Each structure stands twice: as C-alpha cells, then as structure tokens.
Amino acid sequence: MEGTKETQVKSKKRVADHGEVFTNEREVNAMLDLVKQETERIDSRFLEPACGNGNFLAEVLRRKLNTVDSRYTKSQTEWEQYAIVAVSSIYGVDILEDNAEECRQRLFTIFDDRYTAHFKSRCKPKCRRSVLFLLGKNIINGDATNYCIPNTDKPIIFSEWTPIGKKIQRKDWVFESLAKGSYQLRLFDENDEPQFFDKSIKQYTPVDYLKLGEDE
Ligand SMILES: C[S@@+](CC[C@H](N)C(=O)[O-])C[C@H]1O[C@@H](n2cnc3c(N)ncnc32)[C@H](O)[C@@H]1O
C-alpha cells in the first residue's frame, strides 16, 4: 500500500479528527536509515506512539527479520527464538482501534510469510500463537497524549520481554512513568528526599518461548 498518494489518507474526517496521514515508503526508509544500525539489531526496542497501521513498525520488523534470516535459517529453533525477540521489541500505540488491529495483522503477516517460506509444514502453531500474543500486548489502542486507554482512566501498560535461554521473562510497566522517567536525572531532590523512580508493576515467571499466551 505504501508509496501511493491515495492510500496516505483514509478519509477527510479521519484527517481532521486524528491527523491521520500515513507516511509513504520512501520517507519511512529515509527516516529509518538515520538509525540504520538500530533497525537491523534484532533486540533494539522501537516504540511509535502514533503508529497508524504500522508503516514504520512494519519496516523495522522487516529489517530485524533480515538479520534473523542472515544468521539463523539453518536452525528452526534459533530462527523462532530470535524472530520472537524481534517482534517482542516492537511497540506501537494508536488512538484508533482499527489502526492498531491493522498494524498487528500486518506485523503478523510479515513474520508469518517468512516463517512459512523457511519452514513450511514444520512451522509450529504454538510459535504463531506466541507471536500473536506478543503483538496483542505490544500494539496498543491508546491515547499517547494522556497515556491512557481511550475514553477511560485506565493507564497504558507496556510489557518488557527479556529472553533467558529458551524462556522469556515479562515485566509490566506503566507507560506514563516510562515516558516521564526518562527525564529523571537526580537521585535526590533539593530537600534531599529520594526522587521517584520507575518500578515495574508486575513481574512474571519466565515461560518457554512457545508458551507465551498459553493460558490467556
Ligand atoms: C499522521 S498519522 C501517522 C501514522 C503512522 N505513524 C505513519 O507514519 O504512517 C497519525 C496517527 O496518529 C494517531 N493518533 C492521533 N492522535 C493520537 C493520540 N492522541 N494517541 C495515539 N495515536 C494518535 C492517528 O489515529 C493516526 O493513525
């Protein structure tokens, strides 16, 4: 869809209400090339707070998966593990649920087309389920200006995924504290009181990479 003027706008109303104008492929690539090395690093974390249907995130995933392909196609297990790391480090927020869903579907298709091409009938439904689970957690229908789920006061929660061997550890964080915490530079305030520090709100027992979302 990228690259054509027509598909950069879905409707005049959506442009007026949400500033929804999609970026074309050439601009996406030019901007991502400014941080080329990071886009090719399998575990670099990307967050797009107004991700639309995923023009930037799709290209980031393609680049990360190119790296996975270049290193791990000889071993299905390694390819799966690293592809999952690639997916798990990509985050998006959009205020419109249809955009968030389109973005999840698009990222899943990019993953699944490669997975199927490499491993055909040996592909595991459990691996696909893990990827779908990660995308459900990482691509969020939310309002990035107040850090909440639209029309609620429920905070946006992001999950951090850390590979530990074949397992993955999940830690949940409040988006607002992550966004504001990055400006936290001092240990103590002017009255020598300890400053607020970000804390994860929940830490989960590590689970096998093929068992993500098994009980949800
Ligand atoms: C200019 S479009 C860009 C989409 C995408 N980043 C791209 O470059 O193709 C802006 C997107 O931001 C979303 N948006 C507008 N206000 C938002 C908000 N407060 N929080 C999250 N997303 C928002 C719109 O729904 C739209 O998809």
Side-chain angles (χ1 to χ4, degrees), residues 88-120:
S88 73
S89 51
I90 291 178
Y91 298 87
V93 176
D94 202 280
I95 201 162
L96 297 175
E97 171 54 24
D98 64 339
N99 279 345
E101 182 52 21
E102 225 179 287
C103 180
R104 290 180 203 114
Q105 288 296 331
R106 193 169 169 192
L107 297 180
F108 180 75
T109 302
I110 291 168
F111 160 83
D112 201 42
D113 285 354
R114 301 243 184 153
Y115 188 40
T116 307
H118 291 316
F119 303 110
K120 303 188 172 65

Coordinates of all heavy atoms in Angstrom, one line a residue, residues 88-120:
S88 N 9.0 -9.0 19.8 CA 8.7 -8.6 21.2 C 9.3 -7.2 21.5 O 9.0 -6.6 22.5 CB 9.3 -9.6 22.2 OG 10.7 -9.5 22.2
S89 N 10.2 -6.7 20.7 CA 10.9 -5.4 21.0 C 10.3 -4.3 20.1 O 10.8 -3.2 20.1 CB 12.4 -5.5 20.7 OG 12.6 -6.1 19.4
I90 N 9.1 -4.6 19.5 CA 8.5 -3.5 18.7 C 7.1 -3.2 19.3 O 6.3 -4.0 19.6 CB 8.2 -4.1 17.2 CG1 9.6 -4.2 16.5 CG2 7.3 -3.2 16.5 CD1 9.5 -4.7 15.1
Y91 N 7.0 -1.8 19.6 CA 5.8 -1.4 20.3 C 5.1 -0.3 19.5 O 5.8 0.6 18.9 CB 6.2 -0.8 21.7 CG 6.9 -1.8 22.6 CD1 8.2 -2.0 22.5 CD2 6.1 -2.5 23.5 CE1 8.9 -2.9 23.4 CE2 6.7 -3.4 24.4 CZ 8.1 -3.6 24.3 OH 8.7 -4.5 25.2
G92 N 3.8 -0.2 19.6 CA 3.0 0.8 19.0 C 1.8 1.2 19.8 O 1.2 0.4 20.5
V93 N 1.4 2.5 19.6 CA 0.1 3.0 20.2 C -0.6 3.7 19.1 O 0.0 4.5 18.4 CB 0.4 3.9 21.4 CG1 -0.9 4.5 21.9 CG2 1.2 3.3 22.5
D94 N -1.9 3.5 19.0 CA -2.7 4.3 18.2 C -4.1 4.5 18.8 O -4.6 3.6 19.4 CB -2.9 3.8 16.8 CG -3.3 4.9 15.8 OD1 -4.5 5.3 15.8 OD2 -2.4 5.5 15.1
I95 N -4.6 5.7 18.7 CA -5.9 6.0 19.3 C -7.1 5.4 18.6 O -8.1 5.2 19.3 CB -6.0 7.6 19.4 CG1 -7.0 8.0 20.4 CG2 -6.4 8.2 18.0 CD1 -6.9 9.5 20.9
L96 N -6.9 4.9 17.4 CA -8.0 4.3 16.7 C -7.7 2.8 16.7 O -6.7 2.3 16.2 CB -8.0 4.8 15.2 CG -8.4 6.3 15.1 CD1 -8.3 6.7 13.6 CD2 -9.8 6.6 15.7
E97 N -8.7 2.0 17.2 CA -8.5 0.6 17.3 C -8.4 -0.1 16.0 O -7.6 -1.1 15.8 CB -9.7 -0.1 18.1 CG -9.7 -1.6 18.1 CD -8.5 -2.3 18.6 OE1 -7.6 -1.7 19.3 OE2 -8.3 -3.5 18.2
D98 N -9.0 0.4 14.9 CA -8.9 -0.3 13.6 C -7.4 -0.1 13.1 O -6.9 -1.1 12.5 CB -9.9 0.2 12.6 CG -9.8 1.7 12.2 OD1 -9.2 2.5 13.0 OD2 -10.3 2.0 11.1
N99 N -6.8 1.0 13.4 CA -5.4 1.1 13.0 C -4.5 0.2 13.8 O -3.6 -0.5 13.3 CB -4.9 2.6 13.3 CG -5.3 3.5 12.2 OD1 -5.7 3.1 11.1 ND2 -5.2 4.8 12.4
A100 N -4.8 0.1 15.1 CA -3.9 -0.8 16.0 C -4.1 -2.3 15.5 O -3.1 -3.0 15.3 CB -4.4 -0.7 17.4
E101 N -5.3 -2.6 15.1 CA -5.6 -4.0 14.7 C -4.9 -4.3 13.3 O -4.3 -5.3 13.1 CB -7.1 -4.3 14.7 CG -7.4 -5.7 14.2 CD -6.7 -6.8 15.0 OE1 -6.3 -6.6 16.1 OE2 -6.6 -8.0 14.5
E102 N -5.0 -3.3 12.4 CA -4.4 -3.4 11.1 C -2.9 -3.6 11.3 O -2.2 -4.4 10.6 CB -4.7 -2.1 10.3 CG -5.1 -2.4 8.8 CD -5.4 -1.1 8.1 OE1 -6.4 -0.4 8.4 OE2 -4.5 -0.7 7.3
C103 N -2.3 -2.8 12.2 CA -0.9 -2.9 12.5 C -0.5 -4.3 13.0 O 0.5 -4.9 12.5 CB -0.5 -1.8 13.5 SG 1.2 -1.7 13.9
R104 N -1.3 -4.8 14.0 CA -1.0 -6.1 14.5 C -1.0 -7.2 13.4 O -0.1 -8.0 13.2 CB -2.0 -6.5 15.5 CG -1.9 -5.8 16.8 CD -3.0 -6.3 17.8 NE -3.3 -5.2 18.8 CZ -4.5 -4.6 18.9 NH1 -5.5 -4.9 18.1 NH2 -4.6 -3.6 19.7
Q105 N -2.1 -7.1 12.5 CA -2.2 -8.1 11.5 C -1.0 -8.0 10.5 O -0.5 -9.0 10.0 CB -3.5 -7.8 10.7 CG -4.8 -8.2 11.4 CD -4.8 -9.7 11.7 OE1 -4.3 -10.5 11.0 NE2 -5.5 -10.0 12.8
R106 N -0.7 -6.7 10.2 CA 0.4 -6.5 9.2 C 1.7 -7.1 9.7 O 2.4 -7.7 9.0 CB 0.5 -5.0 9.0 CG 1.3 -4.6 7.8 CD 1.1 -3.1 7.7 NE 2.0 -2.6 6.7 CZ 2.2 -1.3 6.5 NH1 1.4 -0.4 7.3 NH2 3.0 -0.8 5.7
L107 N 2.0 -6.8 11.0 CA 3.3 -7.3 11.6 C 3.2 -8.9 11.6 O 4.2 -9.5 11.3 CB 3.5 -6.8 13.0 CG 3.7 -5.2 13.0 CD1 3.9 -4.8 14.5 CD2 4.8 -4.8 12.1
F108 N 2.0 -9.4 12.0 CA 2.0 -10.9 12.0 C 2.2 -11.5 10.6 O 2.9 -12.4 10.5 CB 0.6 -11.3 12.5 CG 0.5 -12.8 12.6 CD1 1.1 -13.6 13.5 CD2 -0.2 -13.5 11.6 CE1 1.1 -15.0 13.5 CE2 -0.3 -14.9 11.6 CZ 0.4 -15.6 12.5
T109 N 1.6 -10.8 9.6 CA 1.8 -11.4 8.2 C 3.3 -11.3 7.8 O 3.8 -12.3 7.1 CB 0.9 -10.6 7.2 OG1 -0.4 -10.7 7.7 CG2 1.0 -11.1 5.8
I110 N 3.9 -10.2 8.1 CA 5.4 -10.2 7.8 C 6.1 -11.3 8.4 O 7.0 -12.0 7.8 CB 5.9 -8.8 8.2 CG1 5.3 -7.7 7.3 CG2 7.5 -8.8 8.2 CD1 5.6 -6.3 7.9
F111 N 5.9 -11.5 9.7 CA 6.5 -12.7 10.4 C 6.1 -14.0 9.8 O 7.0 -14.8 9.4 CB 6.1 -12.7 11.9 CG 6.3 -14.0 12.6 CD1 7.5 -14.4 13.0 CD2 5.3 -15.0 12.6 CE1 7.7 -15.7 13.6 CE2 5.5 -16.2 13.1 CZ 6.7 -16.6 13.6
D112 N 4.8 -14.2 9.6 CA 4.3 -15.5 9.1 C 4.7 -15.8 7.7 O 5.0 -17.0 7.4 CB 2.8 -15.6 9.3 CG 2.4 -17.0 9.4 OD1 3.0 -17.8 10.1 OD2 1.4 -17.3 8.7
D113 N 4.8 -14.8 6.8 CA 5.2 -15.1 5.4 C 6.6 -15.7 5.5 O 7.0 -16.6 4.7 CB 5.2 -13.9 4.6 CG 3.7 -13.5 4.2 OD1 2.8 -14.3 4.5 OD2 3.5 -12.4 3.6
R114 N 7.5 -15.1 6.3 CA 8.9 -15.6 6.3 C 9.0 -16.9 7.0 O 9.7 -17.8 6.5 CB 9.8 -14.6 7.2 CG 9.8 -13.2 6.7 CD 11.2 -12.9 6.3 NE 11.2 -11.5 5.9 CZ 12.2 -10.7 6.0 NH1 13.3 -11.1 6.5 NH2 12.1 -9.4 5.7
Y115 N 8.2 -17.1 8.1 CA 8.3 -18.3 8.8 C 7.8 -19.5 7.9 O 8.5 -20.5 7.8 CB 7.3 -18.2 10.0 CG 7.4 -19.3 11.1 CD1 8.6 -19.9 11.4 CD2 6.2 -19.7 11.7 CE1 8.6 -20.9 12.4 CE2 6.2 -20.7 12.7 CZ 7.4 -21.3 13.0 OH 7.4 -22.3 14.0
T116 N 6.7 -19.3 7.2 CA 6.2 -20.3 6.3 C 7.1 -20.6 5.2 O 7.4 -21.7 4.8 CB 4.8 -19.8 5.8 OG1 4.0 -19.4 6.9 CG2 4.1 -20.9 5.0
A117 N 7.7 -19.5 4.6 CA 8.7 -19.7 3.5 C 9.9 -20.6 4.0 O 10.3 -21.5 3.2 CB 9.1 -18.4 3.0
H118 N 10.4 -20.3 5.2 CA 11.5 -21.1 5.6 C 11.2 -22.5 6.1 O 12.0 -23.4 5.7 CB 12.2 -20.4 6.8 CG 12.8 -19.1 6.5 ND1 13.6 -18.9 5.4 CD2 12.8 -17.9 7.2 CE1 14.0 -17.6 5.4 NE2 13.5 -17.0 6.4
F119 N 10.2 -22.7 6.8 CA 10.0 -24.0 7.5 C 8.7 -24.7 7.1 O 8.5 -25.8 7.6 CB 10.0 -23.7 9.0 CG 11.3 -23.0 9.4 CD1 11.3 -21.7 9.9 CD2 12.5 -23.7 9.3 CE1 12.4 -21.1 10.2 CE2 13.7 -23.0 9.7 CZ 13.7 -21.7 10.2
K120 N 8.0 -24.2 6.2 CA 6.8 -24.9 5.6 C 6.0 -25.7 6.6 O 5.5 -25.1 7.6 CB 7.3 -25.7 4.4 CG 8.0 -24.8 3.4 CD 8.4 -25.5 2.1 CE 9.0 -24.4 1.1 NZ 10.2 -23.8 1.5

